[in-house]
Amino acid sequence: MIPSIHKQGGDTAGLIAYLYGPGLSEEHVDPHLVASFDGLAPDPGRDPRATRADLQQLLDEPLHLLPADTRPDKHVWHASVRSAPGDRILTDDEWADIARRVIAATGIDPGDGAGCRWAAIRHADDHIHLITTLVREDGRKPDHHRSGKRAQTECRRIEADYDLYRVAPGDGTAAKRPTCAERHKAQRQGRDRTAREELRETVRRAAAGTASETEFFDRLASAGLMVCRRTAPSGDTLGYTVALPEDRNKDGAPVHYSGSKLAPDLSLPRLRERWTGSPTQPSPAQASRPASTRRRATTAVWQAVLLIDHSDDGTVAAQLAAAGEVLDALAKTSAAHTRHKLRKAATAFERVARSHVRAERGQNQVLRQAARDLVHGGPALGRGEDGATTAMLIDMAFFLATAASAWHAKKGHAQQAVAALQAAEYLRVAYQAAAAQPMALLQERGRHMFRPLQHQHAAALRHAVPDLAEQVLAEPGWPALAATLADAQAAGHNPTDLLTEATQRRELGSATSISDVLVWRLRHLAQLPANPVDAHSPIARHRVPTPPSITQTAVKDTGEKTRRR
C-alpha cells in the first residue's frame, strides 16, 4: 500500500471538482465519499441534494474563522493511498478505516477533538484521495511534519492487519516518483513513460563511465536533450537542468528538471564525486572492440562480487554504484534482442546503488573503467564473439545482483534488496536470449563428442565437485560443459584443476543451470573464445595470461585497505 503526499495548494474547490469529475482520461468511476472528519460530510457523488460547494464550504470553515491576513495561502493538503497490484478489492468500509488511520498517523487529525477537517474520496477500486484544510478547529496549524514518513509507517501496519502485499519500507534514498499530472500528460501524448522517467534513464546512461564534467554535458547534448547550466558569476557551473524537446508546458516552453529532481545521485555535486580519485582512461583502440571490453568487464564484475562478499560497507557501496554504470553501459551498447531486458535490469539496479551507506569512490575505479570501455567499444553484434561475451558478462552480472541483494538484506535495506532480485530476474531473461546461439553450438559439439572423452570429463567433474556432479550431469547443459572442458584441455589446461577453481568462486545454488555458469567461468578463466566456432578470433590467437587469482587480488586489496585503516 503506497501513500503519496501531493503538493499543498490553495484551491479546495478546484481539487474537489477534479476528484468528483471524470478524470483527465475518463478514469474516475463512481466518485463518492467513504469517510470524513465527523462522518457527516455531504457527498456530492451519491447524495443528489449535496453539492461540491457544500463540501468545500464545510472543509474550509475553520480557515474563514481566522483573520484574513493570517490565513495560509496554501491550506489544502492532498494525499492518495493506493493498494498494490494483485491485492484484493477493498470495501468502502475498509477504505474508510484506512483513511482514518492514515489521517491520524500524519497528525492531520490526531484524535484530540480539535483536528483538521478532512474527507476521503474514492473514484477507483484501488485507491482513495484524502483532502484536508490545514487549519485545526482551534485555529492552530496541525503538526504534520514528515507526514509522508508517518503515512508510510502506518501503511506497513495496515498491510499486516489486512493481509495485503507487504511493500518494502523505504529509507528516503529513492528517486522521486512521477506525479499524477505527469502520468496523465504522458498518457495523453501516447508515451509509455513520463518525461521525468525518460530523462532519468537518459541522464543515467550519459553519466555511465564519464571521466569529466565536459564529457558528461557533451553526452547529454548528443542524446538530444535540452541542457541548461546554472553558473556562478565566476563562470563555474553550479548545477544543470534537462528537458525533452517535445515536452512543453501550456505556454509552449520546455519543461526542465534538475538532476537532483531526477534522482539523488544525478545532482552535479554527486556526479562530481564520481570524477574524483584516479581518472578513468580510454583504452587503446585495439582493445576497444565490443568483445574485448566485455571480457574485461566480466573480470571487473567478478572482482566486484568478491569485494561485496569480503569488504567493508563503504567499499561495497562504491562497487554497487559503479556496477549500475556497467549495466547502463551494457544496455546502451548491446544488441536489440537483449537491450530491452538489460535496460529493465539497469533501471531496477538504480535503486540498488543508493542507500545511506556512503560510497568510498576511490574503490570503484576498475568497474568505472569497465563501464567507460563498454561505451567507447561501441555497439556489439548479437552474434559471434560479441554475442557470446555479452552472455558471459550478463551471467557474471547476475551473480553480482544476487550478492547485492544478500548484502542489502543483511543491512536491513528492504527496498534495495528487492530491487536487486528484480534486476537479477531481468538479467536472467537477457542471458537466455544472449546465450541461446553459443550454448546451442556447444551442446551440439558435446553431444557428438567421442564417448570415452565424455566419460573422461565426467570423471573430472566428479573429482572436482563431487556434491554437484550428478546434478550437473543430469542438466541439459552438460554437453556444452563437456565441450568446454575439451576446449580447455586442448588449450593446455588441466580440466580438473580448472573446474575446482571455477566452483570455488562463490556459490552456485542461485543458478538455474550450474552447467551454464561453469561454461562461462571456464571459458573466462582459460581465456577461450566465448563463441565456440570462432577459433580464429584475436582472443584465440593472442591469449592473455590469466591473472594469478582474482580472488587473491580482491582479498589482498581488502587486507591492504584494512591495514591502512
Side-chain angles (χ1 to χ4, degrees):
M1 182 158 287
I2 303 295
S4 299
I5 311 301
H6 305 286
K7 287 183 178 180
Q8 291 178 202
D11 185 5
T12 306
L15 180 55
I16 291 175
Y18 166 74
L19 296 177
Y20 275 97
L24 299 177
S25 302
E26 302 293 333
E27 72 275 17
H28 294 179
V29 179
D30 186 24
H32 60 280
L33 202 75
V34 294
S36 65
F37 68 101
D38 62 356
L40 301 173
D43 181 8
R46 294 280 180 87
D47 185 352
R49 296 168 299 176
T51 66
R52 298 173 187 177
D54 292 336
L55 180 58
Q56 179 261 322
Q57 183 177 359
L58 179 68
L59 293 179
D60 280 351
E61 189 171 319
L63 177 72
H64 295 296
L65 294 178
L66 297 176
D69 58 346
T70 63
R71 298 171 189 170
D73 292 332
K74 295 184 177 181
H75 62 274
V76 182
W77 183 89
H78 173 212
S80 58
V81 184
R82 186 179 299 271
S83 58
D87 277 342
R88 63 184 176 85
I89 297 177
L90 300 170
T91 66
D92 280 358
D93 287 342
E94 289 173 322
W95 276 121
D97 178 58
I98 290 168
R100 285 189 286 267
R101 291 177 62 168
V102 171
I103 285 289
T106 57
I108 297 294
D109 186 2
D112 59 359
C116 298
R117 296 188 177 188
W118 59 273
I121 298 164
R122 182 180 188 181
H123 53 213
D125 286 339
D126 63 348
H127 71 278
I128 58 172
H129 287 264
L130 304 173
I131 177 173
T132 299
T133 300
L134 290 175
V135 178
R136 288 167 48 93
E137 297 283 4
D138 56 13
R140 295 187 293 118
K141 293 181 180 179
D143 178 16
H144 66 107
H145 179 62
R146 295 177 64 83
S147 58
K149 184 69 173 178
R150 296 185 195 179
Q152 289 281 359
T153 302
E154 185 62 26
C155 281
R156 302 295 79 78
R157 299 190 186 102
I158 291 170
E159 290 162 357
D161 293 344
Y162 280 88
D163 193 24
L164 302 174
Y165 175 78
R166 308 292 180 85
V167 176
D171 60 1
T173 62
K176 185 177 179 181
R177 294 174 180 271
T179 65
C180 289
E182 290 170 350
R183 287 195 295 268
H184 291 317
K185 183 178 182 181
Q187 291 172 2
R188 291 196 307 273
Q189 296 175 345
R191 298 202 310 261
D192 294 334
R193 297 183 300 170
T194 65
R196 183 191 299 273
E197 291 168 316
E198 288 189 26
L199 287 168
R200 181 161 59 238
E201 180 177 320
T202 303
V203 173
R204 202 180 65 237
R205 288 203 306 264
T210 51
S212 67
E213 194 170 307
T214 300
E215 182 181 13
F216 170 64
F217 285 115
D218 286 346
R219 286 197 194 176
L220 291 181
S222 298
L225 301 186
M226 302 178 69
V227 184
C228 289
R229 301 197 207 189
R230 183 165 56 87
T231 57
S234 62
D236 295 333
T237 302
L238 301 176
Y240 72 98
T241 62
V242 289
L244 295 174
E246 66 275 13
D247 184 35
R248 304 276 170 162
N249 62 20
K250 61 181 180 180
D251 298 321
V255 180
H256 281 263
Y257 295 82
S258 65
S260 61
K261 295 299 183 183
L262 298 177
D265 52 352
L266 293 181
S267 68
L268 189 57
R270 293 291 298 277
L271 288 171
R272 283 170 173 160
E273 292 177 8
R274 302 188 189 190
W275 304 322
T276 59
S278 303
T280 52
Q281 300 294 332
S283 296
Q286 66 273 17
S288 291
R289 299 184 182 92
S292 300
T293 62
R294 278 155 171 70
R295 276 188 170 270
R296 290 197 301 277
T298 301
T299 300
V301 169
W302 184 245
Q303 183 173 346
V305 173
L306 299 172
L307 289 172
I308 290 170
D309 286 341
H310 300 294
S311 298
D312 61 87
D313 290 351
T315 298
V316 174
Q319 298 301 313
L320 297 181
E325 295 188 55
V326 172
L327 288 178
D328 280 319
L330 180 61
K332 182 178 181 178
T333 58
S334 289
H337 68 300
T338 57
R339 189 180 306 137
H340 176 69
K341 291 301 180 183
L342 288 173
R343 283 181 174 177
K344 291 278 191 180
T347 298
F349 203 87
E350 176 195 18
R351 187 71 190 92
V352 181
R354 285 195 305 271
S355 70
H356 286 300
V357 177
R358 187 169 182 81
E360 295 190 14
R361 292 290 181 177
Q363 303 299 318
N364 62 0
Q365 290 303 317
V366 174
L367 275 178
R368 293 208 70 243
Q369 182 68 55
R372 183 172 178 78
D373 288 348
L374 286 170
V375 172
H376 283 272
L381 299 174
R383 59 185 184 277
E385 191 70 12
D386 283 4
T389 50
T390 297
M392 180 185 288
L393 176 53
I394 295 172
D395 176 73
M396 200 64 78
F398 170 84
F399 281 95
L400 186 145
T402 57
S405 180
W407 182 81
H408 276 305
K410 184 171 64 177
K411 296 295 175 185
H413 305 158
Q415 285 192 354
Q416 291 89 335
V418 170
L421 292 180
Q422 291 173 341
E425 187 55 35
Y426 287 127
L427 288 168
R428 191 195 299 275
V429 177
Y431 165 78
Q432 292 168 351
Q437 184 262 349
M439 291 301 292
L441 291 172
L442 281 170
Q443 288 180 10
E444 183 70 14
R445 282 178 47 195
R447 282 191 290 267
H448 289 83
M449 188 182 297
F450 288 125
R451 191 59 58 87
L453 194 55
Q454 289 185 23
H455 292 328
Q456 175 187 334
H457 293 315
L461 180 69
R462 290 189 177 98
H463 185 272
V465 281
D467 295 338
L468 296 174
E470 298 309 316
Q471 178 181 345
V472 173
L473 290 170
E475 289 181 349
W478 159 243
L481 178 56
T484 294
L485 289 169
D487 289 345
Q489 188 173 38
H493 296 277
N494 183 305
T496 303
D497 292 344
L498 208 59
L499 272 169
T500 301
E501 184 176 357
T503 54
Q504 288 176 347
R505 296 187 166 206
R506 209 175 180 276
E507 55 84 26
L508 292 166
S510 59
T512 302
S513 170
I514 296 175
S515 50
D516 274 31
V517 173
L518 290 176
V519 163
W520 298 117
R521 289 189 186 180
L522 293 177
R523 301 195 83 82
H524 181 248
L525 282 170
Q527 291 295 308
L528 299 171
N531 188 43
V533 299
D534 196 356
H536 303 291
S537 70
I539 295 173
R541 294 199 307 268
H542 306 292
R543 282 179 40 230
V544 180
T546 304
S549 170
I550 296 176
T551 306
Q552 294 173 2
T553 302
V555 172
K556 178 181 177 184
D557 290 346
T558 305
E560 289 179 353
K561 182 177 175 187
T562 303
R563 288 194 295 273
R564 288 198 302 271
R565 288 171 175 249

